[in-house]
Amino acid sequence: MLERVLHMEDTSGFEEAPSGPAAAMEAVKKFGIGKLLIIVIILGAALWFFVLAPKPGTLSVTVKEIDSGDYIDGVQLDLTPPGQKTVTKFSTSSSSVRFDNVPSMTTDDLDLQIVPPEGYQVVGSPASGLKLESGKPKSISVTLAQKTNLKVSVSSDKVSLGTGCTSNLAVSVTNGGDAPATVQLVGDEKLKEVIQSEAKTVSAKSTTTFSANLSAPDKKGPLSGKIRARLTNSGDSFTLDVTDPEELRVSPERLEERVSPGSDVDKQFTIENSGRSGEARDIQAIITGDLLQLNPQLNFADNAPLKPREEKILTVQFTAPSVEGKTVGVMIVSSACQRIQVPISVTVQER
């Protein structure tokens, strides 16, 4: 009897339900592998379509003239997405050109060809490496310059000038065309605010020298770019190195001479730049006051800029009056940054 009871207990217990991966596999079997695959495919397609698939964007192209910033009418713009047809549009004189539904996130760059009207040329490469991010707009700017036969050459490709100081730079412009050209010099890139010049007419097949005004800002450091003929891309590279102003000294600081009537006076002054970094440019000397009546001659040893710790000699020559008396005046020594006054007196007396 006991054996029968034990036998019944062994065969009447519940089977343990599957769990973990086994339960998942059991559920898949009951649902059907085919149905599950279909759902996965549908979800993947939805994820791609709504989230991952690149969406077309918008490309806006602004076409303006260099320097003036005016919109230019009639510029042909040919946009060709990879493997698709070319879409052609033309610029207007009032707004940008807009391309809609442009493929984005392409492996290859978009091909944008710019065909300027007669008399213009494209500056730089605005359409290189052109791509759009998925669903986002993109704007680029195209700059056109007038076509000319001008050649611009600066007399020095680098000038040192003290902060807040002004100087001049000789720039030659050659017109190789068959018609005269009105030229005004401007600076581009970091030179926009430091270069100015008056407009001049350069005759055909000729060269004209301009005196470009340089104005150093208050912040030290190099400013590089091009000096160009306005509205054109014809220019020459130039760097303005803004430094501390020079420190000029004139020796002697004053001059008092006693001479015989009608005698020749020949005196030398030493001009020194005692600064550490600034280069003294445009050094000049003039005589004012009654001494000017003696027609004094002032001559420098050379016309080169005076570098830091350098000096040069200034010679002053004149003929003393033929009668007794005292003649006074002031010699003014100036540079791009400084102005020094040196009092001079000449007393004529019989020996």
Side-chain angles (χ1 to χ4, degrees), residues 83-105:
Q84 298 190 24
K85 294 182 178 180
T86 298
V87 177
T88 298
K89 293 193 175 185
F90 292 87
S91 67
T92 69
S93 58
S94 60
S95 63
S96 302
V97 177
R98 175 170 168 165
F99 293 91
D100 294 316
N101 298 317
V102 180
S104 58
M105 297 184 68

Side-chain angles (χ1 to χ4, degrees), residues 28-329:
V28 169
K29 290 178 181 179
K30 290 181 179 180
F31 184 77
I33 296 178
K35 293 179 181 180
L36 182 62
L37 289 176
I38 292 174
I39 292 176
V40 171
I41 292 173
I42 292 174
L43 291 176
L47 177 64
W48 170 258
F49 183 80
F50 291 105
V51 180
L52 301 178
K55 298 175 179 59
T58 301
L59 176 65
S60 296
V61 184
T62 301
V63 183
K64 291 187 176 182
E65 185 180 47
I66 194 172
D67 298 321
S68 73
D70 294 338
Y71 286 95
I72 299 179
D73 192 33
V75 179
Q76 181 178 332
L77 303 171
D78 296 330
L79 180 63
T80 308
Q84 298 190 24
K85 294 182 178 180
T86 298
V87 177
T88 298
K89 293 193 175 185
F90 292 87
S91 67
T92 69
S93 58
S94 60
S95 63
S96 302
V97 177
R98 175 170 168 165
F99 293 91
D100 294 316
N101 298 317
V102 180
S104 58
M105 297 184 68
T106 55
T107 302
D108 299 322
D109 297 339
L110 296 168
D111 183 14
L112 178 63
Q113 297 294 323
I114 304 163
V115 184
E118 186 177 357
Y120 282 94
Q121 61 181 350
V122 180
V123 178
S125 303
S128 61
L130 185 58
K131 288 185 176 69
L132 269 66
E133 293 185 33
S134 178
K136 292 186 178 181
K138 185 180 184 69
S139 298
I140 66 171
S141 180
V142 176
T143 301
L144 300 188
Q146 296 178 4
K147 272 187 177 180
T148 65
N149 288 312
L150 300 176
K151 181 180 178 182
V152 178
S153 299
V154 297
S155 56
S156 176
D157 59 2
K158 185 176 183 179
V159 165
S160 174
L161 189 61
T163 54
C165 303
T166 60
S167 183
N168 297 299
L169 177 70
V171 181
S172 63
V173 179
T174 300
N175 180 8
D178 297 324
T182 300
V183 177
Q184 182 181 11
L185 298 177
V186 296
D188 65 6
E189 300 178 39
K190 294 184 178 180
L191 299 176
K192 285 184 178 180
E193 304 299 327
V194 302
I195 303 291
Q196 289 183 342
S197 85
E198 296 182 353
K200 288 185 179 183
T201 299
V202 183
S203 303
K205 309 297 184 183
S206 69
T207 300
T208 298
T209 299
F210 289 69
S211 181
N213 298 322
L214 305 177
S215 299
D218 294 330
K219 183 178 179 180
K220 293 189 294 184
L223 301 173
S224 299
K226 288 173 63 176
I227 296 180
R228 294 185 291 101
R230 187 176 183 272
L231 301 180
T232 79
N233 197 36
S234 301
D236 199 6
S237 298
F238 176 73
T239 297
L240 179 65
D241 188 16
V242 184
T243 66
D244 290 320
E246 71 268 15
E247 297 179 18
L248 283 187
R249 292 181 181 176
V250 180
S251 179
E253 296 180 353
R254 64 185 303 117
L255 179 65
E256 296 181 356
E257 286 288 304
R258 295 182 179 274
V259 297
S260 302
S263 62
D264 292 331
V265 179
D266 188 332
K267 291 296 178 180
Q268 289 188 340
F269 293 83
T270 300
I271 314 297
E272 179 190 5
N273 180 6
S274 59
R276 295 183 178 182
S277 61
E279 182 179 86
R281 294 180 53 82
D282 307 330
I283 300 178
Q284 301 178 15
I286 60 172
I287 295 288
T288 64
D290 293 338
L291 276 175
L292 191 59
Q293 302 174 6
L294 305 182
N295 192 28
Q297 302 298 309
L298 292 81
N299 298 294
F300 285 101
D302 59 66
N303 294 320
L306 196 58
K307 298 183 182 300
R309 306 302 185 185
E310 289 185 348
E311 60 183 36
K312 65 172 61 183
I313 299 300
L314 168 63
T315 302
V316 179
Q317 298 173 318
F318 57 87
T319 300
S322 57
V323 296
E324 291 186 349
K326 188 175 183 179
T327 305
V328 298

